[in-house]
Amino acid sequence: MLAGMSPALVVSTADLAIVEANPALTNLLGYAIEELRMTALLTDVMQPEDRQSLVQKINTLSVQDGPASRVRSRFKKKNGSWTTVELILSSFANREKGSQSILIMVHDISEREHARTVLEKSEKMHRLLAKDLIAAQESERRGIVLELHDVIGGNLGAAKYLLEMMKLQQEGGQEAWKTITAKLSNLIVDTMNEVQRISTSLRPPGLEDMGVLVALSWFVRKHNEIYTDMTAVLDCSVDESIIPGFLKIVLFRLVQEALNNAAKHSGATQIELSLKKSDNKIILHIADNGVGFDAEELTLRGSANGLGLRNMQSRVELSDGNMVIKSQINSGTVIQAEWDLPQVGSSTRPILAA
């Protein structure tokens, strides 16, 4: 109820037939007072599932003046809609009729309940996103550990073996040495390439030195070289200098995740990416012509196939941005993320991991 408004009041019999109601109740429910006087709370107004709890509360009230009792319920308005209310019940003896009467104060709490529901849904989504982000990070770390062990560790073990072979082949002459040193040289080159590949997956090259626009162009070009049946087109119409430093790695990871997801799942032949400034916002727009999917099913119900999208959602929200995913089966996918540009002189920014 708004401050300054009179509370909605009902006087009823012990079996909850309405005897009297004030104008505030008519405003709340839309019935005229005459209509309310011919109405029973239990059968005509109240949600059926809520009736038992109200009856139990009424039965606990004394026939003498006693302490108030509270119960939450839902009332049906004359227009057919439902509103959530809190009822404060108290009883008093009607000496003229020799019976018990019930005084009910009705508070409209529908807006408060709606806000609570929205908050609970938001908290649930944030917990899911945080859980997915942690799972994605741990998965990435496991992958790196395996690569370090299998590739780098294996190569170093092989190099150690070749060095020992060189000691044993001291008497074998020039040809034996050339063969072993050639193998060792190739092994070192392979190891360097693997280290560069792993380093690139951890931190994109040139991000600090040349900026995110160059890094994005490089990644899109490499993607097109690998996935020849899919063409990714990048259009950047934003100046590097206005992109906050913390946002650069976020933008790169979003494009990286989107292109990798498209390559694995979308079946798209064309992906269009744009990065622009509009109305003091940085906007990243990604659209493909792939098979599409049920966006709500993947992002809200925890499908394993939606981990990449939820990971993207986490990155955007943790960087104080907003992301919208639009997709339908056989209709492609559109992802748009946007962030407000910081005010001049502002020093606050999200703390993010790469």
Side-chain angles (χ1 to χ4, degrees):
M1 291 177 60
L2 297 176
M5 292 182 62
S6 300
L9 297 173
V10 179
V11 176
S12 76
T13 62
D15 59 0
L16 296 178
I18 298 176
V19 176
E20 192 59 79
N22 70 344
L25 187 68
T26 68
N27 293 334
L28 175 62
L29 300 181
Y31 295 99
I33 292 180
E34 292 75 16
E35 293 176 299
L36 290 172
R37 287 175 182 153
M38 296 184 292
T39 300
L41 283 176
L42 287 177
T43 57
D44 300 326
V45 177
M46 180 175 288
Q47 185 83 6
E49 304 95 276
D50 301 335
R51 293 172 183 171
Q52 185 176 359
S53 61
L54 180 58
V55 171
Q56 290 174 345
K57 292 288 186 180
I58 293 295
N59 290 337
T60 61
L61 293 174
S62 170
V63 295
Q64 303 297 326
D65 294 347
S69 182
R70 294 174 181 266
V71 64
R72 182 175 297 178
S73 182
R74 287 159 292 176
F75 278 5
K76 188 176 184 180
K77 297 183 178 182
K78 188 174 182 178
N79 62 10
S81 64
W82 292 89
T83 186
T84 304
V85 296
E86 182 181 56
L87 309 177
I88 302 177
L89 314 168
S90 58
S91 66
F92 62 94
N94 190 328
R95 293 181 175 83
E96 293 181 1
K97 297 184 178 181
S99 61
Q100 179 192 21
S101 293
I102 308 297
L103 175 64
I104 306 174
M105 183 179 295
V106 183
H107 292 280
D108 182 4
I109 59 171
S110 54
E111 291 186 4
R112 187 176 76 190
E113 286 296 291
H114 175 70
R116 183 179 62 83
T117 301
V118 171
L119 180 60
E120 288 178 350
K121 183 177 180 181
S122 176
E123 290 175 346
K124 181 179 179 181
M125 173 63 75
H126 275 82
R127 287 194 296 270
L128 179 62
L129 292 174
K131 180 180 178 181
D132 287 340
L133 182 59
I134 292 172
Q137 289 175 337
E138 290 302 316
S139 177
E140 289 175 352
R141 289 169 181 170
R142 282 195 298 269
I144 293 168
V145 168
L146 288 174
E147 288 184 306
L148 289 174
H149 178 271
D150 296 343
V151 180
I152 307 301
N155 284 0
L156 292 176
K160 180 176 180 292
Y161 170 79
L162 290 173
L163 287 173
E164 291 174 350
M165 288 291 296
M166 290 178 68
K167 293 179 182 179
L168 296 175
Q169 294 293 336
Q170 288 181 3
E171 306 298 329
Q174 288 286 340
E175 289 303 318
W177 272 70
K178 285 181 180 179
T179 300
I180 294 176
T181 54
K183 290 181 179 179
L184 186 58
S185 176
N186 291 336
L187 192 60
I188 292 172
V189 170
D190 290 343
T191 304
M192 292 172 61
N193 289 336
E194 286 298 321
V195 170
Q196 183 179 20
R197 181 183 64 81
I198 294 173
S199 299
T200 298
S201 68
L202 293 174
R203 192 75 176 177
L207 189 63
E208 286 83 6
D209 299 333
M210 293 177 286
V212 65
L213 302 185
V214 172
L216 288 175
S217 297
W218 168 83
F219 184 77
V220 170
R221 185 174 67 254
K222 298 295 288 185
H223 184 274
N224 286 335
E225 291 174 0
I226 296 171
Y227 301 99
T228 55
D229 57 346
M230 177 186 302
T231 301
V233 179
L234 175 66
D235 177 23
C236 293
S237 59
V238 63
D239 193 280
E240 179 87 29
S241 62
I242 71 167
I243 302 175
F246 74 88
L247 191 55
K248 295 182 179 183
I249 186 62
V250 177
L251 291 169
F252 184 89
R253 292 303 186 206
L254 291 178
V255 170
Q256 185 181 46
E257 188 74 58
L259 289 181
N260 289 340
N261 282 346
K264 293 177 184 177
H265 308 297
S266 75
T269 59
Q270 186 80 15
I271 306 174
E272 298 179 353
L273 307 99
S274 68
L275 184 63
K276 63 181 181 179
K277 174 182 178 294
S278 178
D279 296 329
N280 208 42
K281 293 179 181 291
I282 294 290
I283 300 175
L284 174 65
H285 185 87
I286 305 169
D288 69 49
N289 64 348
V291 296
F293 55 87
D294 186 329
E296 182 177 357
E297 178 73 23
L298 286 183
T299 57
L300 296 182
R301 299 187 182 179
S303 169
N305 292 332
L307 180 60
L309 287 173
R310 295 198 300 273
N311 191 21
M312 293 174 67
Q313 187 89 51
S314 295
R315 290 186 183 276
V316 173
E317 292 193 359
L318 290 172
S319 58
D320 290 337
N322 294 292
M323 188 172 89
V324 176
I325 302 170
K326 296 181 180 179
S327 185
Q328 293 181 350
I329 296 175
N330 298 324
S331 297
T333 301
V334 175
I335 299 173
Q336 181 159 308
E338 58 183 48
W339 299 262
D340 291 325
L341 286 171
Q343 300 296 320
V344 177
S346 174
S347 59
T348 59
R349 72 172 187 80
I351 300 175
L352 300 169

